[in-house]
Amino acid sequence: MSDEPIYPHPEPYTPNFLRRIRRGLYSWFGLLNEWDFRIPVGALRFMGLNLLLVNEPTAVRQVMVSAVEDFPKHPYTLWILEPLIGRAIFSVNGAEWAQQRRLVDQAFQVAQLQRVYPQMEGAVAASLVRLEAQVDEGPIDADAEMTLVTADVIVRTILSRPLEGEEAEAIFAAFARYQKRAGRALMLRFLRLPRQRLQAYLATHATPIRAWIAAAIDRRLTAPAGQNATPNDTPSPTDLLDALIAARDPDTGEGFSRDGLVDQVCFLFLAGHETSASALGMAVYLLGRFPEVQQRLRAEVLQVLGSRAGAPDRPLGFEDLRQLSYGAAVFNETLRLYPPVSFFIRESQVDTELAGSRCPMRALVTLSPWVIQRHDQHWSEPNAFRPERFLTDTPGEANSPDDRRWARDAFLPYGLGPRKCPGAAFAQQEALLVLAELVRRFEVLPDPEHEPELVARLTLRSRNGIRVRLVRRSLRSELAPEAPRVDAPEWQQNPVQP
Ligand code: HEM
């Protein structure tokens, strides 16, 4: 078996973009050629549209950080998501975006992470019970379980109630169908199919989701005082919906309208569970595929539990997670190899240059973490799984000066600059909790009969699930083995830093 974990190998170079679009109807990876992983900037013209793929780190920073006003989100981002998320933060630009961002940032303050921790714990405990029940039945579908646990986390943290019943299952299945269709609609738009027809095609799956979320918000907004998740005598919001309702623009004092809340919560459901499910599914695959990494992570978890007060079989606490530097490196390396949002699109508002290539006004500029994070000029052995790349400031770790440089300049799973994901620390906390509790209780083994088939649509997912086998471990039978203690650099512990 090759030491590289699976990935869809890019096709040989073809200048025929129509053929690439045909491949792209199934998965965005179909658009890519081998060549794209070697060049700084790629440019082509197709049906009157200028398309650029930007890989060179200084040009990427130009688009996403230093000249960000010249490269707003492309209008395709808005219309492809509009039936589902309306005019929520992700796809709008300018003053409309800035106001929403001020409110969302308030709702995602670091203190909020500690407040939602019990809700995350509840969802993870429910997931462990489900896994326990499946262990003796042969291989499990880790992708399905990660989708369920992340959906449960987002429902509990936004609405303070668990995900239950057929109604909720139906809602999350509709999300999955929406994202499958959205990827296809984007390719069809390149072929100039009318926007209204494509939006109607997407809307059928969006309507039940929006109605379900609107009903939950209306219940909260009309609940008599004292029946909200925030009783009158409690000054702090207890869930994200309360935090969004309470958020106020410091300049104008305005908050979200009722319709604005529906848009925002629809987006947070999508962003909060699809991305984390994608990353966690791939992390479980990697742990099964690389037993030595799994062993080291487990050793770190047991050492942290042993080094702090409390019984060693207690659940992992908020502070424990902050000690898992190797765990954070494993998750970062998973995000490098399998970035859940594998491409972003922007529109240039100026005639300019990007790394020496001409970028005309109105060009569609693509930045792809998938390409940049596997680019052979940015990373040594770009397709290999080596979590220690991210222990960059740790003496004695097998990382090169190049790794140190690129871990900062060519790593953008959460985006960069002012539009960087405000949910990054939330996602990191959730992922570490899920993975640490998983390796503590089970040994994850690969299923030799199964290979995930990756497709990139709105997010990166495996078309045929991720099958692994689990073997139960005893929580008390092992003493904490010696794990090398490492302190991760601060930027890595707090991925929200620009
Ligand atoms: C591993 C998990 C996640 C990944 C990889 C991820 C990735 C991203 C990326 C790449 C962007 C920016 C895209 C661009 O610049 O075009 C983004 C934006 C955003 N994400 Fe996340 N995300 C994750 C989890 C979450 C979670 C859990 C939440 C909330 C619960 C969240 C909320 C948001 C929001 C609100 C934005 C819009 C920011 C803006 O436009 O100003 N994300 N995310």
Side-chain angles (χ1 to χ4, degrees), residues 120 146 149-150 271-287 293-294 296-297 300 321 324-341 373 379 384-391 411-414 421 423-436 438-439 460 488 491-496:
M120 277 190 188
M146 294 302 123
V149 66
T150 53
H273 95 281
E274 269 293 332
T275 48
S276 297
S278 158
L280 277 168
M282 294 319 296
V284 175
Y285 157 77
L286 288 166
L287 291 175
V293 171
Q294 185 181 161
R296 183 167 171 187
L297 173 60
E300 184 181 61
L321 292 189
L324 299 178
S325 354
Y326 185 66
V330 169
F331 191 58
N332 279 337
E333 178 71 340
T334 306
L335 291 173
R336 184 187 71 81
L337 283 177
Y338 303 108
V341 186
Q373 294 171 185
W379 300 90
F385 178 58
R386 292 203 286 110
E388 60 276 14
R389 295 179 205 270
F390 286 93
L391 297 173
F411 181 64
L412 61 158
Y414 295 109
C421 176
F426 179 104
Q428 197 89 357
Q429 172 167 304
E430 173 186 20
L432 283 180
L433 183 58
V434 170
L435 295 176
L438 182 78
V439 296
L460 171 73
W491 67 271
Q492 192 179 301
Q493 290 174 358
N494 179 6
V496 183

Side-chain angles (χ1 to χ4, degrees), residues 64 73 89-90 97 101 104 108 154 240 267-268 271-272 275-276 279 331 335 340-341 344 346 412-415 418-424 426-427 430:
M64 301 190 78
K73 295 257 173 141
I89 182 170
F90 186 77
W97 164 78
R101 181 75 194 216
V104 167
F108 275 84
I154 206 72
L240 286 176
F267 175 64
L268 290 179
T275 48
S276 297
F331 191 58
L335 291 173
V341 186
F344 323 134
R346 304 288 198 256
L412 61 158
Y414 295 109
R419 309 260 348 205
K420 190 173 175 179
C421 176
F426 179 104
E430 173 186 20

Side-chain angles (χ1 to χ4, degrees), residues 270-319:
L270 177 71
H273 95 281
E274 269 293 332
T275 48
S276 297
S278 158
L280 277 168
M282 294 319 296
V284 175
Y285 157 77
L286 288 166
L287 291 175
R289 175 79 173 63
F290 295 90
E292 64 292 351
V293 171
Q294 185 181 161
Q295 194 47 39
R296 183 167 171 187
L297 173 60
R298 176 171 157 75
E300 184 181 61
V301 172
L302 296 182
Q303 193 199 42
V304 165
L305 280 162
S307 70
R308 296 172 72 90
D313 56 353
R314 71 192 156 86
L316 278 154
F318 180 78
E319 289 304 329

